[in-house]
């Protein structure tokens, strides 16, 4: 089995925590690990490092590499970088071709497709369902996973099961292969891999119904939330793409490199619409686990432990007579009085205030920000780079002040600026600095000055993060005033 993790989200539903340049999968909410890191750790017991494939947008390359390196070495070996976002159908097709061509997989190889930003518990039980899904997929099924609804949620897609089981005595794998399946009842058992998993044929997919329709689904009982997780063989998914979406399939026919170069020509369409809904041989495995796609602040609220009044507070928060509210603080003190069913999220440059049951509309705020070309929709005041990060502390006419953090042994590019000079003061660690033809070390409470148009490089030779305060001064202090002469990360010169 190959595990394909999709990590190309756009960062609109959890604004202002997530941004276009730093979407949800990289957030660390109530865990020391990001959602992407949690996903990788969740699946690694079932696959080796070389069997893990990550699909992401090329602009997230260094975020992904940084996250993976924190989990373990070698995890970034199979990294597919999309030049543009084209939704899950093209991404999965590209991953299937990659596995077949670059990893030497046969068309009988099963690939498991996982979003990078879900929370799932207990993880060992989830892996048992995966084991069953792999065996069902070997019988030619496209397998998806369902979650029993706990409320009439309008932000999820739904799957309606038929009364027919997907696995029966004629389709089950023989016990001589090391597996044992119970025939007749339609229940698919894998001995030694935990509890049995029942799989049903899918009758219908429904995308994000209205509240009244969702309430009816709950009453009927044959509907499950679509978890967005899939298992199928390479041959099955490529065959269905050929039948249902020949335009995508045609671009995949000439191999991975060709498909990647023409990726922007592919339609923007999900795997649900493109393949799963029209396909005939589709099975769903209902999972009796906790699942949350953290698709809104309302759903994020669920993953925290609330107080006796139903409040969840993170950060420096003082509340009087509050009920069922979610307050996420950052640097400021947040004081509330009489809140009921509200969400407040504070970041360095933005504050969101919403009714808790209206947070699905956050993406409308993001759309308005983008229409106004507001930077708050794109990135945080803290910007992540392959060498570390920088935070804009203050900016005005002819000046900008930053806090720069350089990771151990990392170095910035050899560069120069035509419109600004820079002053560096080391706050923590030791900096190795090249300015013109001189190379010096500067320590805590020491400084260096970089004149305009002078080649320079900042490096952290130590074993702890280097932190400096940078003061820029000049007629133009935009980030695009840079000429890179040498860069170990392969970035463009400008």
């Amino acid at each position: 089995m190959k595990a394909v993790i999709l990590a190309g989200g756009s960062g609109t539903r959890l604004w202002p925590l997530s941004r276009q340049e730093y979407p949800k999968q990289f957030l660390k909410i109530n865990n020391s690990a990001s959602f992407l890191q949690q996903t990788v750790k969740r699946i690694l017991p079932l696959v080796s490092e070389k069997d893990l494939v990550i699909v992401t947008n090329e602009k997230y390359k260094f975020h992904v590499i940084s996250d993976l390196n924190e989990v373990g070495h070698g995890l970034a070996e199979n990294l597919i970088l999309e030049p543009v976002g084209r939704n899950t159908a093209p991404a999965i097709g590209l991953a299937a071709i990659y596995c077949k061509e670059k990893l030497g997989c046969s068309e009988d190889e099963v690939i498991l497709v996982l979003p990078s930003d879900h929370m799932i518990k207990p993880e060992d039980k989830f892996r048992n369902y995966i084991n069953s899904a792999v065996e069902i997929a070997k019988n030619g099924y496209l397998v998806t996973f369902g979650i029993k609804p706990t409320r009439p949620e309008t932000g999820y897609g739904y799957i309606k099961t038929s009364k027919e089981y997907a696995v029966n005595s004629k389709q089950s794998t023989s016990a001589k292969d090391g597996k044992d399946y119970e025939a007749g009842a339609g229940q698919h058992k894998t001995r030694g891999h935990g509890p049995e998993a029942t799989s049903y044929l899918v009758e219908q997919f429904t995308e994000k119904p209205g509240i009244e329709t969702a309430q009816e689904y709950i009453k009927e009982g044959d509907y499950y939330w679509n978890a967005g997780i899939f298992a199928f063989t390479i041959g099955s998914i490529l065959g269905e793409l050929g039948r249902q979406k020949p335009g995508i399939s045609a671009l995949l026919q000439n191999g991975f490199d060709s498909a990647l170069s023409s990726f922007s020509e592919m339609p923007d369409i999900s795997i649900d619409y493109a393949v799963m809904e029209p396909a005939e041989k589709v099975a769903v495995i209902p999972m009796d686990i906790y699942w949350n796609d953290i698709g809104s602040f309302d759903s994020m609220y669920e993953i925290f432990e609330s107080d006796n009044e139903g409040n969840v507070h993170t950060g420096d928060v003082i509340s009087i007579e509050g009920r069922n509210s979610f307050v996420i603080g950052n640097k400021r003190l947040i004081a509330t009085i009489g809140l009921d069913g509200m969400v407040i999220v504070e970041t360095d440059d933005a504050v969101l205030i919403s009714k808790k049951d209206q947070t699905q509309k956050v993406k409308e705020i993001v759309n308005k920000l983008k229409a106004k070309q507001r930077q708050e929709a794109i990135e945080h005041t803290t910007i992540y780079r392959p060498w570390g990060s920088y935070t804009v502390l203050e900016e005005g006419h002819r000046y900008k002040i930053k806090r720069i953090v350089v990771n151990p042994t990392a170095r910035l590019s050899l560069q120069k600026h035509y419109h600004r000079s820079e002053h560096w003061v080391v706050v923590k660690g030791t900096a190795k600095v090249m300015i013109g033809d001189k190379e010096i070390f500067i320590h805590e409470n020491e400084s260096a000055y970089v004149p305009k148009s002078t080649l320079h490089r900042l490096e952290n030779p130590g074993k702890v993060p280097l932190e400096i305060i940078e003061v820029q001064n000049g007629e133009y202090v935009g980030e695009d005033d840079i000429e890179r002469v040498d860069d170990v990360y392969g970035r463009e010169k400008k």
Side-chain angles (χ1 to χ4, degrees):
M1 179 180 74
K2 298 292 183 286
V4 175
I5 297 178
L6 305 179
S10 59
T12 59
R13 296 192 292 175
L14 292 181
W15 184 90
L17 292 183
S18 65
R19 309 286 172 100
Q20 180 175 307
E21 299 294 330
Y22 196 72
K24 176 177 62 170
Q25 58 265 31
F26 305 118
L27 296 178
K28 298 178 181 180
I29 303 298
N30 69 337
N31 193 300
S32 59
S34 69
F35 288 119
L36 172 59
Q37 289 171 330
Q38 292 179 55
T39 304
V40 170
K41 291 177 180 179
R42 185 179 301 130
I43 201 62
L44 275 182
L46 295 182
V47 297
S48 65
E49 293 178 352
K50 61 182 178 62
D51 294 324
L52 184 69
V53 179
I54 310 291
V55 184
T56 189
N57 192 289
E58 61 184 16
K59 64 185 176 182
Y60 303 144
K61 173 182 177 180
F62 296 110
H63 290 317
V64 171
I65 291 174
S66 177
D67 268 15
L68 294 179
N69 286 341
E70 289 182 13
V71 177
H73 297 293
L75 291 173
E77 182 177 341
N78 299 313
L79 195 60
I80 300 175
L81 301 175
E82 300 172 323
V84 294
R86 283 295 179 265
N87 217 314
T88 54
I92 291 171
L94 190 64
I97 289 296
Y98 179 91
C99 291
K100 183 177 179 181
E101 180 180 322
K102 303 294 185 179
L103 301 184
C105 298
S106 72
E107 292 203 346
D108 293 329
E109 181 85 24
V110 174
I111 57 176
L112 173 71
V113 179
L114 301 156
S116 60
D117 50 10
H118 292 182
M119 177 162 284
I120 296 173
K121 295 180 180 179
E123 295 188 343
D124 57 345
K125 191 173 183 180
F126 171 69
R127 288 189 285 267
N128 290 332
Y129 287 115
I130 296 302
N131 283 324
S132 293
V134 169
E135 300 304 326
I136 298 171
K138 289 178 180 178
N139 287 304
Y141 286 93
L142 307 180
V143 184
T144 186
F145 297 81
I147 306 294
K148 188 68 176 177
T150 58
R151 62 183 183 277
E153 174 62 56
T154 60
Y156 297 153
Y158 285 74
I159 301 170
K160 183 180 182 182
T161 64
S162 74
K163 302 300 182 182
E164 297 181 63
Y165 294 114
V167 175
N168 58 40
S169 57
K170 293 182 180 180
Q171 297 165 328
S172 63
T173 302
S174 170
K176 69 181 180 180
D177 294 325
K179 306 293 187 294
D180 184 14
Y181 300 98
E182 185 175 276
Q187 293 182 332
H188 178 132
K189 290 185 177 181
T190 306
R191 301 298 186 192
H193 290 286
E196 61 190 33
T198 304
S199 57
Y200 298 90
L201 294 178
V202 172
E203 182 174 312
Q204 177 184 326
F205 287 88
T206 303
E207 184 66 21
K208 297 180 181 179
I211 185 63
E212 292 183 0
T213 302
Q215 289 170 342
E216 287 298 317
Y217 289 170
I218 299 291
K219 290 179 183 178
E220 289 188 32
D222 292 333
Y223 287 85
Y224 296 86
W225 288 336
N226 186 348
I229 303 169
F230 309 97
F232 27 63
T233 65
I234 292 174
S236 293
I237 189 60
L238 291 179
E240 283 297 335
L241 281 170
R243 284 185 285 273
Q244 310 298 343
K245 289 296 171 184
I248 296 177
S249 181
L251 294 174
L252 298 174
Q253 293 301 315
N254 294 325
F256 174 79
D257 294 333
S258 174
L260 187 62
S261 64
S262 59
F263 194 74
S264 60
E265 301 174 28
M266 295 192 185
D268 187 338
I269 188 170
S270 72
I271 195 68
D272 301 86
Y273 282 132
V275 171
M276 303 301 287
E277 291 185 14
E280 295 183 359
K281 200 172 181 181
V282 182
V284 59
I285 296 179
M287 296 192 292
D288 181 21
I289 58 174
Y290 176 80
W291 169 89
N292 192 330
D293 79 337
I294 323 294
S296 67
F297 285 107
D298 197 12
S299 60
M300 183 188 289
Y301 166 86
E302 295 180 3
I303 70 177
F304 291 88
E305 185 175 347
S306 60
D307 63 20
N308 292 335
E309 299 299 324
N311 298 306
V312 172
H313 297 154
T314 70
D316 191 4
V317 180
I318 295 177
S319 175
I320 297 176
E321 297 180 0
R323 297 177 62 253
N324 303 319
S325 293
F326 190 19
V327 182
I328 302 176
N330 182 29
K331 293 182 178 178
R332 303 174 183 87
L333 164 67
I334 299 178
T336 70
I337 302 174
L339 290 189
D340 190 352
M342 297 292 291
V343 170
I344 298 176
V345 182
E346 178 234 355
T347 64
D348 287 349
D349 59 344
V351 178
L352 170 71
I353 302 173
S354 170
K355 290 183 177 179
K356 191 145 64 70
D357 60 359
Q358 297 292 310
T359 58
Q360 290 282 355
K361 297 180 180 178
V362 166
K363 59 185 178 182
E364 297 177 23
I365 296 290
V366 176
N367 290 337
K368 288 190 175 184
L369 291 172
K370 288 181 177 178
K372 294 177 180 292
Q373 298 184 328
R374 294 287 298 259
Q375 195 66 14
E376 292 92 340
I378 307 300
E379 56 190 16
H380 286 281
T381 56
T382 296
I383 310 299
Y384 293 88
R385 292 289 184 255
W387 43 261
S389 67
Y390 70 83
T391 302
V392 178
L393 302 177
E394 184 70 33
E395 184 173 4
H397 179 58
R398 295 184 62 89
Y399 76 92
K400 183 186 290 185
I401 304 173
K402 293 179 177 180
R403 180 176 64 249
I404 297 177
V405 178
V406 184
N407 296 329
T409 71
R411 58 163 58 180
L412 281 67
S413 60
L414 181 63
Q415 57 187 255
K416 59 183 174 181
H417 313 291
Y418 293 107
H419 301 287
R420 70 175 187 253
S421 61
E422 296 175 341
H423 296 260
W424 295 337
V425 178
V426 175
V427 177
K428 177 183 177 183
T430 296
K432 183 179 180 181
V433 177
M434 177 186 292
I435 302 175
D437 57 0
K438 295 182 179 180
E439 189 172 86
I440 61 173
F441 289 88
I442 56 176
H443 307 279
E444 292 180 7
N445 204 31
E446 296 178 346
S447 63
Y449 170 67
V450 182
K452 288 182 183 178
S453 304
T454 302
L455 276 175
H456 61 280
R457 188 198 297 267
L458 177 64
E459 183 177 348
N460 180 1
K463 296 182 178 180
V464 298
L466 166 66
E467 184 174 335
I468 73 169
I469 299 298
E470 176 182 89
V471 179
Q472 302 176 0
N473 183 266
E475 63 270 19
Y476 180 72
V477 292
E479 295 301 324
D480 56 347
D481 176 23
I482 182 173
E483 180 178 330
R484 294 189 180 97
V485 176
D486 177 60
D487 183 62
V488 296
Y489 309 106
R491 292 172 296 175
E492 295 179 358
K493 291 188 176 182
K494 292 268 187 189

